[in-house]
Amino acid sequence: MRRFNELSDDSLKAILDELAATASQTLENEGVPIEQQDVVYSADLRYHGQGFEIPVTIDIGTFDGSGAGIEALRRAFDAEHQRLFSFVLDAEHELVTVRAMANGPRPDVSAPELRTGGTDPAAALRLRHDIWVDGAEVEAGIYDRELLEAGNVVTGPAVITEMDSTTLVLPGHAATVHPSGSLLIRPVDHQEN
């Protein structure tokens, strides 16, 4: 946290360059070449003594050593303060936080698609076990979600387990496995044939 009168274009640019290098290195370690990266800079600014900050985008091109960078930040903050609150103060500006965010091209990610199976989920059935539903014990099938295929229909009462969650299919309901792997649970009388 520094007042603008304690900063120079060179000192702030050095901080921004260091942040950008760290952010870019992280992306490069993930396989995104530097030439495919774009770095965006921002700062949280306020008037000295103000209890909140306003985020402002930094135009790194204004940091040419002439003092234009700090002045551009001052103008951007004043304009944003005017927009938000309809006034500008004649007070010292403070830099609270600076950020450099490295962005790369969007990865080509496609939605997973499960292998298509029939409606019978028997290959995913691990065991049958009594569970407590609506004040009574009922026997339920316990299914392994990783073994379910698109099109399988798990009729309740059933429990579908996976590494990080468990899905309960109540009596009178059925879970149809969508090609994406989602479970579409509906009352049995609404199931498609």
Short mmCIF file of all heavy atoms in Angstrom, two decimals, residues 42-74:
data_model
loop_
_atom_site.label_atom_id
_atom_site.label_comp_id
_atom_site.label_asym_id
_atom_site.label_seq_id
_atom_site.Cartn_x
_atom_site.Cartn_y
_atom_site.Cartn_z
N SER A 42 -4.21 -4.75 -13.42
CA SER A 42 -5.22 -3.95 -12.73
C SER A 42 -4.69 -3.54 -11.37
O SER A 42 -3.73 -4.12 -10.85
CB SER A 42 -6.54 -4.72 -12.59
OG SER A 42 -6.37 -5.83 -11.76
N ALA A 43 -5.34 -2.53 -10.80
CA ALA A 43 -4.96 -2.04 -9.48
C ALA A 43 -6.21 -1.68 -8.70
O ALA A 43 -7.22 -1.27 -9.27
CB ALA A 43 -4.07 -0.80 -9.61
N ASP A 44 -6.15 -1.88 -7.39
CA ASP A 44 -7.18 -1.40 -6.49
C ASP A 44 -6.68 -0.10 -5.90
O ASP A 44 -5.62 -0.07 -5.25
CB ASP A 44 -7.46 -2.42 -5.38
CG ASP A 44 -8.08 -3.70 -5.90
OD1 ASP A 44 -8.59 -3.70 -7.03
OD2 ASP A 44 -8.05 -4.71 -5.16
N LEU A 45 -7.42 0.97 -6.16
CA LEU A 45 -7.01 2.31 -5.75
C LEU A 45 -8.06 2.93 -4.84
O LEU A 45 -9.22 2.51 -4.84
CB LEU A 45 -6.81 3.20 -6.98
CG LEU A 45 -5.89 2.67 -8.08
CD1 LEU A 45 -5.92 3.60 -9.28
CD2 LEU A 45 -4.47 2.51 -7.56
N ARG A 46 -7.63 3.95 -4.08
CA ARG A 46 -8.56 4.70 -3.24
C ARG A 46 -7.96 6.06 -2.95
O ARG A 46 -6.76 6.30 -3.18
CB ARG A 46 -8.85 3.96 -1.94
CG ARG A 46 -7.64 3.86 -1.02
CD ARG A 46 -7.97 3.05 0.21
NE ARG A 46 -6.85 3.05 1.14
CZ ARG A 46 -6.81 2.32 2.23
NH1 ARG A 46 -7.83 1.54 2.53
NH2 ARG A 46 -5.77 2.36 3.02
N TYR A 47 -8.79 6.94 -2.45
CA TYR A 47 -8.28 8.20 -1.92
C TYR A 47 -7.69 7.91 -0.54
O TYR A 47 -8.21 7.05 0.19
CB TYR A 47 -9.39 9.24 -1.80
CG TYR A 47 -9.92 9.72 -3.12
CD1 TYR A 47 -11.25 9.57 -3.46
CD2 TYR A 47 -9.08 10.35 -4.04
CE1 TYR A 47 -11.75 10.02 -4.67
CE2 TYR A 47 -9.57 10.80 -5.27
CZ TYR A 47 -10.90 10.63 -5.57
OH TYR A 47 -11.38 11.07 -6.77
N HIS A 48 -6.63 8.59 -0.17
CA HIS A 48 -6.01 8.38 1.13
C HIS A 48 -7.06 8.55 2.24
O HIS A 48 -7.80 9.53 2.25
CB HIS A 48 -4.86 9.37 1.35
CG HIS A 48 -4.22 9.24 2.70
ND1 HIS A 48 -3.55 8.11 3.08
CD2 HIS A 48 -4.17 10.09 3.75
CE1 HIS A 48 -3.11 8.27 4.31
NE2 HIS A 48 -3.48 9.47 4.74
N GLY A 49 -7.16 7.56 3.11
CA GLY A 49 -8.12 7.60 4.20
C GLY A 49 -9.47 6.99 3.87
O GLY A 49 -10.29 6.79 4.76
N GLN A 50 -9.70 6.69 2.61
CA GLN A 50 -10.96 6.09 2.19
C GLN A 50 -10.98 4.64 2.67
O GLN A 50 -9.95 3.97 2.72
CB GLN A 50 -11.06 6.16 0.67
CG GLN A 50 -12.45 6.06 0.12
CD GLN A 50 -12.49 6.38 -1.38
OE1 GLN A 50 -11.52 6.17 -2.10
NE2 GLN A 50 -13.61 6.91 -1.83
N GLY A 51 -12.15 4.14 3.04
CA GLY A 51 -12.27 2.80 3.59
C GLY A 51 -12.52 1.70 2.58
O GLY A 51 -12.76 0.57 2.96
N PHE A 52 -12.49 2.00 1.30
CA PHE A 52 -12.72 0.98 0.28
C PHE A 52 -11.89 1.32 -0.95
O PHE A 52 -11.46 2.46 -1.13
CB PHE A 52 -14.21 0.89 -0.10
CG PHE A 52 -14.77 2.19 -0.63
CD1 PHE A 52 -14.73 2.46 -1.98
CD2 PHE A 52 -15.31 3.13 0.23
CE1 PHE A 52 -15.23 3.66 -2.48
CE2 PHE A 52 -15.81 4.32 -0.25
CZ PHE A 52 -15.77 4.60 -1.61
N GLU A 53 -11.68 0.31 -1.78
CA GLU A 53 -10.90 0.49 -2.99
C GLU A 53 -11.79 0.31 -4.21
O GLU A 53 -12.83 -0.34 -4.14
CB GLU A 53 -9.76 -0.54 -3.07
CG GLU A 53 -8.78 -0.46 -1.94
CD GLU A 53 -9.24 -1.18 -0.68
OE1 GLU A 53 -9.82 -2.28 -0.80
OE2 GLU A 53 -9.04 -0.64 0.41
N ILE A 54 -11.33 0.87 -5.31
CA ILE A 54 -12.02 0.70 -6.59
C ILE A 54 -11.03 0.08 -7.57
O ILE A 54 -9.91 0.58 -7.73
CB ILE A 54 -12.51 2.07 -7.13
CG1 ILE A 54 -13.54 2.67 -6.18
CG2 ILE A 54 -13.10 1.90 -8.53
CD1 ILE A 54 -13.98 4.07 -6.55
N PRO A 55 -11.41 -1.04 -8.20
CA PRO A 55 -10.51 -1.65 -9.18
C PRO A 55 -10.45 -0.83 -10.47
O PRO A 55 -11.48 -0.35 -10.95
CB PRO A 55 -11.11 -3.03 -9.43
CG PRO A 55 -12.54 -2.92 -9.02
CD PRO A 55 -12.63 -1.82 -8.00
N VAL A 56 -9.25 -0.70 -11.02
CA VAL A 56 -9.02 0.06 -12.24
C VAL A 56 -8.08 -0.74 -13.12
O VAL A 56 -7.09 -1.31 -12.64
CB VAL A 56 -8.40 1.44 -11.91
CG1 VAL A 56 -8.03 2.20 -13.16
CG2 VAL A 56 -9.34 2.27 -11.06
N THR A 57 -8.36 -0.80 -14.41
CA THR A 57 -7.47 -1.46 -15.36
C THR A 57 -6.26 -0.57 -15.60
O THR A 57 -6.38 0.64 -15.73
CB THR A 57 -8.20 -1.71 -16.69
OG1 THR A 57 -9.33 -2.56 -16.42
CG2 THR A 57 -7.29 -2.40 -17.70
N ILE A 58 -5.08 -1.18 -15.66
CA ILE A 58 -3.84 -0.45 -15.90
C ILE A 58 -3.47 -0.59 -17.36
O ILE A 58 -3.38 -1.71 -17.88
CB ILE A 58 -2.69 -1.00 -15.03
CG1 ILE A 58 -3.01 -0.81 -13.54
CG2 ILE A 58 -1.37 -0.34 -15.39
CD1 ILE A 58 -1.99 -1.46 -12.60
N ASP A 59 -3.21 0.53 -18.01
CA ASP A 59 -2.70 0.53 -19.38
C ASP A 59 -1.17 0.51 -19.28
O ASP A 59 -0.55 1.54 -19.04
CB ASP A 59 -3.18 1.77 -20.13
CG ASP A 59 -2.65 1.84 -21.56
OD1 ASP A 59 -1.88 0.94 -21.98
OD2 ASP A 59 -2.99 2.82 -22.24
N ILE A 60 -0.57 -0.67 -19.42
CA ILE A 60 0.87 -0.81 -19.23
C ILE A 60 1.66 0.03 -20.22
O ILE A 60 2.79 0.45 -19.93
CB ILE A 60 1.30 -2.30 -19.28
CG1 ILE A 60 2.69 -2.51 -18.68
CG2 ILE A 60 1.22 -2.83 -20.69
CD1 ILE A 60 2.76 -2.30 -17.20
N GLY A 61 1.08 0.34 -21.36
CA GLY A 61 1.75 1.16 -22.36
C GLY A 61 2.02 2.58 -21.89
O GLY A 61 2.91 3.26 -22.44
N THR A 62 1.28 3.06 -20.89
CA THR A 62 1.51 4.42 -20.38
C THR A 62 2.73 4.50 -19.48
O THR A 62 3.19 5.60 -19.16
CB THR A 62 0.28 4.95 -19.62
OG1 THR A 62 0.03 4.11 -18.49
CG2 THR A 62 -0.94 5.01 -20.52
N PHE A 63 3.27 3.36 -19.06
CA PHE A 63 4.44 3.34 -18.17
C PHE A 63 5.71 3.38 -19.01
O PHE A 63 6.40 2.39 -19.17
CB PHE A 63 4.40 2.12 -17.26
CG PHE A 63 3.40 2.25 -16.15
CD1 PHE A 63 2.07 1.97 -16.37
CD2 PHE A 63 3.79 2.70 -14.90
CE1 PHE A 63 1.13 2.11 -15.36
CE2 PHE A 63 2.86 2.85 -13.88
CZ PHE A 63 1.53 2.56 -14.12
N ASP A 64 6.00 4.57 -19.52
CA ASP A 64 7.15 4.75 -20.41
C ASP A 64 8.30 5.50 -19.73
O ASP A 64 9.26 5.90 -20.37
CB ASP A 64 6.72 5.49 -21.68
CG ASP A 64 6.12 6.86 -21.37
OD1 ASP A 64 6.13 7.29 -20.20
OD2 ASP A 64 5.62 7.50 -22.32
N GLY A 65 8.19 5.71 -18.40
CA GLY A 65 9.24 6.40 -17.67
C GLY A 65 9.04 7.89 -17.55
O GLY A 65 9.77 8.57 -16.83
N SER A 66 8.03 8.43 -18.20
CA SER A 66 7.81 9.88 -18.19
C SER A 66 6.86 10.31 -17.07
O SER A 66 6.60 11.50 -16.91
CB SER A 66 7.23 10.33 -19.53
OG SER A 66 5.90 9.82 -19.67
N GLY A 67 6.34 9.35 -16.31
CA GLY A 67 5.35 9.68 -15.28
C GLY A 67 3.93 9.56 -15.77
O GLY A 67 2.98 9.77 -15.02
N ALA A 68 3.76 9.23 -17.03
CA ALA A 68 2.42 9.15 -17.62
C ALA A 68 1.61 7.98 -17.05
O ALA A 68 0.38 8.03 -17.03
CB ALA A 68 2.52 9.05 -19.14
N GLY A 69 2.28 6.93 -16.59
CA GLY A 69 1.58 5.76 -16.06
C GLY A 69 0.83 6.07 -14.78
O GLY A 69 -0.36 5.76 -14.65
N ILE A 70 1.51 6.69 -13.82
CA ILE A 70 0.86 7.06 -12.56
C ILE A 70 -0.25 8.08 -12.83
O ILE A 70 -1.34 7.98 -12.26
CB ILE A 70 1.90 7.66 -11.57
CG1 ILE A 70 3.00 6.64 -11.26
CG2 ILE A 70 1.23 8.17 -10.31
CD1 ILE A 70 2.65 5.56 -10.29
N GLU A 71 0.00 9.01 -13.71
CA GLU A 71 -1.01 10.02 -14.03
C GLU A 71 -2.22 9.37 -14.71
O GLU A 71 -3.37 9.73 -14.44
CB GLU A 71 -0.42 11.11 -14.92
CG GLU A 71 -1.36 12.27 -15.18
CD GLU A 71 -1.93 12.91 -13.91
OE1 GLU A 71 -1.21 13.04 -12.91
OE2 GLU A 71 -3.13 13.27 -13.93
N ALA A 72 -1.99 8.39 -15.58
CA ALA A 72 -3.09 7.68 -16.23
C ALA A 72 -3.92 6.92 -15.20
O ALA A 72 -5.15 6.89 -15.29
CB ALA A 72 -2.56 6.74 -17.31
N LEU A 73 -3.26 6.32 -14.20
CA LEU A 73 -3.98 5.64 -13.13
C LEU A 73 -4.83 6.62 -12.34
O LEU A 73 -5.98 6.33 -11.99
CB LEU A 73 -2.98 4.96 -12.17
CG LEU A 73 -2.58 3.54 -12.48
CD1 LEU A 73 -1.62 3.02 -11.43
CD2 LEU A 73 -3.78 2.63 -12.56
N ARG A 74 -4.27 7.78 -12.03
CA ARG A 74 -5.01 8.81 -11.28
C ARG A 74 -6.28 9.20 -12.06
O ARG A 74 -7.37 9.25 -11.50
CB ARG A 74 -4.12 10.03 -11.04
CG ARG A 74 -4.82 11.17 -10.30
CD ARG A 74 -3.91 12.37 -10.08
NE ARG A 74 -3.00 12.11 -8.97
CZ ARG A 74 -1.69 11.92 -9.07
NH1 ARG A 74 -1.09 12.00 -10.25
NH2 ARG A 74 -0.95 11.67 -8.02
#
